[in-house]
Amino acid sequence: MFLHEVIIAGFGGQGILSAGRLIAYAGMLDGREVSFFPSYGPEMRGGTANCMVVVSEEPIASPVLNSCTALMVMNNPSLEKFESYIKKGGVLIADSSLVQQKPTRDDIKHFELPATLMASEAGNKAFSNIYLIGKLIKETGIITPESFEKALYGVLSKSKHHLIPQEMEALKAGMEY
Amino acid sequence: MGERLLMKGNEVIAEAAIRAGCRHYFGYPITPQTEIAHYMAKKMPKVGGVFLQAESEVSAINMVYGAASAGKRVMTSSSSPGISLKQEGISYASGAQLPAVVVNIMRGGPGLGGIQPSQSDYFQATKGGGHGDYRLIVLAPSSVQELYELTVDAFNLADQYRMVAMILGDGVLGQMMEVVNFRDEEPIVDADKSWAACGHGMKREHNTITSIHLDPAVLEQWNQALQKKYKTICEKEQRYELYKTDDADIIIVAYGSVARIAKNVVHVAREEGLKVGLLRPITLWPFPTKAFEQVMDKTRAFLTVEMSSGQMLEDVMLTVSGRKPVYFTGRMGGMIPRVDDIMAKIKEISAG
């Protein structure tokens, strides 16, 4: 059954919530059922941020996850907090420019890419989350790159549409890493 | 089919209200429902409506009283502590038989509590948070789509019965995003509003909107009329969902976002060979007693799950009335029940 339950976690300001929203939006365009549940409140302002995204072919029972098929982390505390959530055989994607810690489990698939470094080398630090989404797409097939591009046009305001080709480059680089 | 959009629960409530013909919104910001006010602030001027951020919740609910008195569709929204502040106004509006919609996106209490999701305002919503013998129609959506549909329904029910209807959600529902399918046209009930105090142009007697009746005989009659209306609503407006209850040995009773977690539990339990079903009240008042009668003879036990210490539990026990055992599990203070914890309780009941 097509069911992806993803937790994305890091600091506020890293594009954690927008990554989740984009995946949900793209999933909708792929014709799936989707839900997005963000952390909210004081933790958003400079503290940790996380969100839970479900993309499924069946109606989604709960948007609140106690376990996940994939975890995407952009800082050490997030790895510590959510590592145990990953289902056996599930996927962990870490931004190795920021996450030095290694997972303690050996029953999961662990992938690293220096997303923040790759983004700043490419000239736009704000796209680090996109590299990670690229890797997530490659390893899980949660959404199609085509729908992701459409999601960017749907979610971003018109004044940022000129950046979308760069973001798609970032996605591609993440997928190919 | 209408538009299919990915939207946040709170924004959908606001959009639904506007689609239902609400052109007056009075509120005061509080997490986790502030996006309702944001959306109203942006959209109301574009549709010729009024958005007003009042100086307090007390002020906002009294502005609702004013707009409702004039026969206009009106809404206010808040979260738990703010809803407590509105109780006097809600009682007055109920006494004056005014239609209005009040949204409570619950957070953990008591007092200022926290900002994480909770269901601990069930008593306040269903048993009368203010003074006097009154009721609210209380609708408990459990998805973004239902936030839309039930908000539209809330306006219709409020108008139809001339009373306050409440949308009782929580932080999960308010903050989550899901796909919503908007209808091209809303089913708007065109209720008689000849009672409204909206200017008589010297052509008729003036209408009076009031909740004061100092003669106890008159006040009793007024109350009897209210009770008669409430009885009709209990008979006609109960709503609920029964999910896999036909062969269920244990039926979980849960509403709102907890009902969704409970649905996951139903799936997990059935994979493990345990016959579990879900009874989901959609109207919390009127409480869906008819749903219980449908399943009473077939099931072995009920398990109520709430994000509270067990408030709806009391209505479940009253309804079941000793005919079957009723169990409870719940979390408080903004903690969300886990599938594993509910499963543990189910195994305990099955073994017992």
Side-chain angles (χ1 to χ4, degrees):
Chain A
M1 193 179 85
F2 188 96
L3 173 65
H4 294 275
E5 299 163 313
V6 184
I7 296 176
I8 307 171
F11 289 121
Q14 285 179 316
I16 299 293
L17 300 187
S18 38
R21 255 197 316 265
L22 283 165
I23 293 169
Y25 198 107
M28 174 181 77
L29 297 177
D30 282 331
R32 316 282 187 195
E33 302 284 340
V34 296
S35 71
F36 164 83
F37 179 54
S39 61
Y40 62 91
E43 56 186 350
M44 273 169 63
R45 294 159 199 138
T48 59
N50 70 73
C51 65
M52 298 170 171
V53 182
V54 184
V55 182
S56 170
E57 62 182 2
E58 301 277 334
I60 294 160
S62 176
V64 181
L65 300 177
N66 300 134
S67 62
C68 62
T69 57
L71 171 66
M72 211 163 98
V73 288
M74 295 184 77
N75 65 14
N76 286 319
S78 297
L79 176 60
E80 272 173 44
K81 183 172 178 189
F82 291 113
E83 187 184 343
S84 65
Y85 281 58
I86 307 170
K87 287 179 176 167
K88 203 175 157 190
V91 168
L92 166 66
I93 295 169
D95 180 348
S96 54
S97 17
L98 301 167
V99 182
Q100 291 83 31
Q101 264 169 253
K102 301 289 168 203
T104 57
R105 293 172 54 178
D106 56 11
D107 60 347
I108 55 173
K109 291 176 218 149
H110 175 211
F111 302 97
E112 290 184 340
L113 74 164
T116 299
L117 197 67
M118 290 164 84
S120 53
E121 277 172 3
N124 198 331
K125 260 176 123 172
F127 295 164
S128 56
N129 56 351
I130 310 282
Y131 288 87
L132 294 167
I133 295 173
K135 189 71 183 162
L136 180 74
I137 290 176
K138 185 180 167 211
E139 301 306 334
T140 68
I142 181 170
I143 49 169
T144 59
E146 294 74 26
S147 292
F148 184 80
E149 186 170 13
K150 284 185 203 150
L152 287 170
Y153 281 100
V155 169
L156 299 178
S157 60
K158 276 222 170 77
S159 64
K160 291 193 173 156
H161 282 188
H162 67 282
L163 295 170
I164 290 175
Q166 285 177 52
E167 294 185 68
M168 288 309 291
E169 281 301 311
L171 190 83
K172 204 164 152 240
M175 287 178 75
E176 285 166 359
Y177 186 84
Chain B
M1 199 175 77
E3 285 174 278
R4 199 164 173 268
L5 298 168
L6 182 68
M7 280 178 80
K8 199 171 221 189
N10 282 333
E11 294 177 340
V12 165
I13 295 170
E15 175 64 26
I18 291 171
R19 283 172 184 254
C22 171
R23 291 294 178 273
H24 297 79
Y25 172 89
F26 307 105
Y28 188 82
I30 181 171
T31 305
Q33 66 77 52
T34 301
E35 293 85 355
I36 300 177
H38 280 173
Y39 197 91
M40 287 297 194
K42 248 188 331 201
K43 288 290 171 77
M44 272 302 194
K46 290 184 185 154
V47 294
V50 175
F51 162 83
L52 200 149
Q53 180 172 323
E55 69 272 29
S56 75
E57 287 86 349
V58 176
S59 183
I61 191 68
N62 284 294
M63 290 173 182
V64 167
Y65 188 102
S69 298
K72 299 298 179 188
R73 286 197 158 184
V74 57
M75 184 169 95
T76 186
S77 65
S78 191
S79 178
S80 308
I83 296 293
S84 291
L85 284 166
K86 292 183 197 288
Q87 291 304 326
E88 181 192 55
I90 293 172
S91 170
Y92 275 55
S94 301
Q97 300 208 61
L98 290 173
V101 174
V102 176
V103 179
N104 181 4
I105 300 300
M106 293 181 279
R107 54 189 252 182
L112 264 183
I115 58 167
Q116 298 302 320
S118 168
Q119 295 180 324
S120 51
D121 304 346
Y122 179 92
F123 284 154
Q124 186 195 52
T126 62
K127 310 292 176 189
H131 60 281
D133 267 322
Y134 76 93
R135 296 288 188 175
L136 309 180
I137 293 173
V138 183
L139 302 168
S142 87
S143 66
V144 171
Q145 182 69 27
E146 238 181 26
L147 281 173
Y148 158 49
E149 290 169 9
L150 292 182
T151 301
V152 174
D153 292 349
F155 280 97
N156 284 335
L157 289 164
D159 273 1
Q160 196 181 334
Y161 292 105
R162 284 187 64 183
M163 61 189 284
V164 177
M166 178 176 272
I167 298 289
L168 193 66
D170 61 62
V172 172
L173 288 164
Q175 293 296 322
M176 71 183 285
M177 290 179 101
E178 241 176 358
V179 175
V180 55
N181 282 298
F182 287 115
R183 293 172 284 232
D184 292 328
E185 211 173 309
E186 300 305 332
I188 291 174
V189 171
D190 194 13
D192 168 44
K193 290 201 171 170
S194 57
W195 49 264
C198 52
H200 50 69
M202 309 300 275
K203 291 193 180 96
R204 59 162 170 79
E205 282 295 298
H206 69 274
N207 288 332
T208 306
I209 308 288
T210 185
S211 65
I212 189 168
H213 306 282
L214 288 174
D215 180 342
V218 173
L219 181 55
E220 187 181 44
Q221 269 179 9
W222 184 254
N223 266 284
Q224 278 163 347
L226 289 181
Q227 293 303 320
K228 197 175 155 206
K229 176 167 82 177
Y230 298 156
K231 199 170 162 231
T232 307
I233 295 168
C234 283
E235 280 158 15
K236 288 169 74 173
E237 304 295 349
Q238 292 186 18
R239 295 194 202 180
Y240 52 88
E241 179 192 359
L242 292 172
Y243 183 71
K244 295 188 191 277
T245 53
D246 278 347
D247 63 343
D249 294 323
I250 298 170
I251 293 179
I252 302 175
V253 187
Y255 69 95
S257 61
V258 177
R260 298 180 63 132
I261 297 162
K263 226 173 221 182
N264 261 357
V265 173
V266 170
H267 298 156
V268 172
R270 283 180 178 264
E271 273 167 29
E272 295 188 20
L274 295 164
K275 287 179 183 162
V276 176
L278 169 68
L279 188 166
R280 177 171 74 89
I282 297 171
T283 52
L284 299 178
W285 197 90
F287 193 67
T289 53
K290 289 174 187 171
F292 287 83
E293 297 314 322
Q294 265 180 266
V295 298
M296 191 64 67
D297 295 335
K298 291 184 276 189
T299 193
R300 270 182 47 217
F302 293 94
L303 169 62
T304 307
V305 186
E306 296 174 63
M307 288 194 286
S308 79
S309 64
Q311 299 195 7
M312 180 176 69
L313 171 66
E314 294 191 4
D315 281 333
V316 175
M317 291 177 87
L318 269 173
T319 307
V320 174
S321 209
R323 287 175 286 177
K324 291 286 156 73
V326 177
Y327 300 89
F328 175 77
T329 185
R331 298 296 300 268
M332 291 178 285
M335 297 301 287
I336 300 171
R338 293 172 57 99
V339 171
D340 296 351
D341 300 337
I342 305 171
M343 272 306 292
K345 188 76 188 173
I346 283 170
K347 283 176 185 166
E348 188 190 309
I349 298 167
S350 302

